[in-house]
Amino acid sequence: MKLTYNAPVVLTFSLISTLVLLVDTVTGCSEANFMDCTLKPYFMTRGVFDFGNPMDYFRLVSSTMGHANWAHLLGNFSIILLIGPMLEEKFGSLSLLFMMVVTAIITAILDIMFWDHGGLGASGIVFMMILLSSFTNFKSGTIPLTFILVVILFIGQEVVRAFQDDNISQFAHILGGIFGAIFGFISGPKQVSTQTATQSKPPVNPQL
Amino acid sequence: MMNKKVLFFLPLALLAAMLWLTDGLDAFAHQKVRKADTARLLVDISGQATMDDMDWVCVQDTLGHHVQEVIENRKSTRNLQFGVDVANLSDTPEGHLADTGFHLKMDFIQIGIDQNILEIFAELEQRGLQISAFSEENGVLTASLSGSLAHPQHPGERVALSNTQVRVKWTPYGQTWA
């Protein structure tokens, strides 16, 4: 028995995010002002974008790896670690990485365009993965009922919550979900149909 | 059997309709701005916004709305600070202050999580101001302010104000969590 780094993208993403929060926790960091933290200022968007500041380009992606506290981090990664490896196996590491980066960048850009607060957290990616996972048995020419239900349950709920007073970015959730749906429709049928064809022939077990 | 495209766009259309039905993206944006982790409540004399270059954002609350209700879900309510700025007094009868480009800035008022906006005004009154004629329109609280304030830079001096309009708005000043 040996440990395997079975889902490189998901695991690396998780480890970096944990490391960022760990450093800020160890060095002391107020939740009231993240800009005073050691690493969080580099792992959150600022609400504004300076085209001449290279760090702002980095923040478009890195903001998904910054988290406010351990509850925030655990909430996101309990889902990412649950369904991420399955998605990485199904769609491939590079494809999943591409989906995560695109989701992060566009969500961050739209967030900056619409609102002037900073943002951090991986839940845009979480929702992208949730919607994407509803396409796991997506066959060409069909619509998975699970997709419809997931949209209603997860995204519909986020729309309602968006009008509540809290500091949760439902905007990122909704956008992430939309990207998950788009990625699922674009890449789902080909991937699944190929895999289904492979899986339809179960390996022969000589012991049976 | 429903068309594939219809099924794909139906949920998105439903989402768009929900947003539209709830006063659209504008209301959505206003709500989101209030989701700031920390916020400052600013008092702006005569509508002259001079605080930094922050956009003014309307408060959605009616007068007396409990601050706690607004911020209860924010994660750092203990650190919430409310700033009170008295700026650009050139439109007031005490326009002499404008001659020096004076920008009177009161100390931050640190409020408790159970204080409401009326209590903030009450604290202003304790500082020597009388506030009357409250009104609320389009989410902006306005009040008429009279009296005098202690000069922050010249101890012993007081700055007189007379029926000066005060506007109160929320400004975004924090982060949202995704």
Side-chain angles (χ1 to χ4, degrees):
Chain A
M1 291 270 282
K2 66 173 185 177
L3 287 173
T4 57
Y5 207 68
N6 59 317
V9 171
V10 169
L11 285 172
T12 304
F13 182 62
S14 307
L15 287 174
I16 293 174
S17 302
T18 306
L19 191 65
V20 169
L21 187 58
L22 187 65
V23 169
D24 278 340
T25 303
V26 170
T27 55
C29 174
S30 163
E31 277 189 26
N33 189 359
F34 292 149
M35 297 311 281
D36 289 340
C37 301
T38 306
L39 288 180
K40 276 201 187 80
Y42 308 106
F43 289 86
M44 61 178 285
T45 57
R46 299 184 301 142
V48 293
F49 192 87
D50 180 0
F51 288 96
N53 183 352
M55 191 51 70
D56 275 354
Y57 295 93
F58 175 69
R59 286 188 175 101
L60 294 178
V61 176
S62 67
S63 59
T64 59
M65 290 176 265
H67 286 81
N69 54 37
W70 288 103
H72 186 204
L73 181 113
L74 290 173
N76 282 338
F77 282 94
S78 57
I79 297 176
I80 288 176
L81 288 170
L82 187 68
I83 59 178
M86 178 263 293
L87 294 172
E88 190 165 345
E89 184 183 4
K90 183 162 285 294
F91 293 97
S93 294
L94 276 180
S95 294
L96 185 66
L97 180 62
F98 172 78
M99 293 174 191
M100 290 165 68
V101 170
V102 168
T103 302
I105 289 175
I106 297 181
T107 302
I109 288 173
L110 291 177
D111 199 55
I112 292 168
M113 284 171 64
F114 278 110
W115 296 295
D116 48 7
H117 53 65
L120 74 171
S123 58
I125 288 173
V126 167
F127 275 76
M128 183 271 286
M129 288 183 170
I130 288 173
L131 265 288
L132 192 59
S133 67
S134 68
F135 285 88
T136 47
N137 56 355
F138 178 32
K139 293 171 186 171
S140 187
T142 63
I143 299 287
L145 183 58
T146 52
F147 165 70
I148 305 291
L149 294 174
V150 165
V151 167
I152 292 169
L153 288 175
F154 283 88
I155 304 301
Q157 192 172 229
E158 291 304 310
V159 171
V160 173
R161 284 179 177 168
F163 295 94
Q164 294 175 355
D165 285 325
D166 57 32
N167 62 341
I168 309 299
S169 178
Q170 285 86 9
F171 178 70
H173 299 177
I174 294 168
L175 272 181
I178 290 171
F179 277 109
I182 292 171
F183 291 140
F185 268 98
I186 291 174
S187 57
K190 292 175 188 172
Q191 298 282 341
V192 173
S193 58
T194 308
Q195 206 139 356
T196 305
T198 311
Q199 289 172 349
S200 62
K201 296 176 182 175
V204 177
N205 187 343
Q207 293 180 331
L208 293 176
Chain B
M1 184 178 170
M2 290 184 75
N3 185 286
K4 173 184 168 184
K5 286 180 182 172
V6 172
L7 277 173
F8 175 61
F9 287 109
L10 186 63
L12 298 180
L14 282 173
L15 290 178
M18 286 175 77
L19 284 176
W20 180 72
L21 286 171
T22 47
D23 288 330
L25 279 172
D26 187 51
F28 186 61
H30 275 190
Q31 289 286 339
K32 291 302 298 182
V33 163
R34 292 174 56 201
K35 292 173 183 298
D37 191 27
T38 57
R40 287 197 293 178
L41 188 68
L42 301 172
V43 178
D44 172 35
I45 298 291
S46 299
Q48 304 291 320
T50 60
M51 271 301 294
D52 304 326
D53 56 354
M54 288 189 287
D55 291 328
W56 292 97
V57 179
C58 296
V59 62
Q60 302 291 322
D61 309 88
T62 55
L63 190 63
H65 188 115
H66 237 242
V67 171
Q68 185 179 0
E69 292 174 26
V70 178
I71 62 176
E72 63 183 353
N73 288 321
R74 295 189 180 121
K75 303 299 186 287
S76 57
T77 51
R78 299 287 176 187
N79 299 304
L80 195 75
Q81 285 190 325
F82 287 87
V84 177
D85 262 36
V86 183
N88 281 3
L89 298 175
S90 57
D91 293 338
T92 70
E94 291 69 39
H96 63 278
L97 289 171
D99 297 338
T100 59
F102 183 72
H103 184 102
L104 177 62
K105 188 173 184 178
M106 293 175 67
D107 295 335
F108 276 127
I109 298 174
Q110 185 82 41
I111 66 157
I113 58 171
D114 56 350
Q115 276 187 286
N116 63 32
I117 289 169
L118 286 177
E119 288 175 303
I120 295 168
F121 281 131
E123 187 152 351
L124 282 174
E125 287 182 320
Q126 283 182 1
R127 290 172 180 241
L129 297 173
Q130 289 80 52
I131 300 173
S132 58
F134 289 109
S135 66
E136 188 269 339
E137 188 176 356
N138 295 327
V140 182
L141 300 178
T142 58
S144 186
L145 182 148
S146 302
S148 63
L149 286 170
H151 195 304
Q153 293 163 350
H154 301 286
E157 286 187 30
R158 297 192 71 79
V159 179
L161 303 170
S162 175
N163 291 322
T164 305
Q165 285 294 301
V166 177
R167 296 194 311 159
V168 180
K169 294 179 176 183
W170 287 91
T171 57
Y173 211 65
Q175 307 86 27
T176 53
W177 302 0

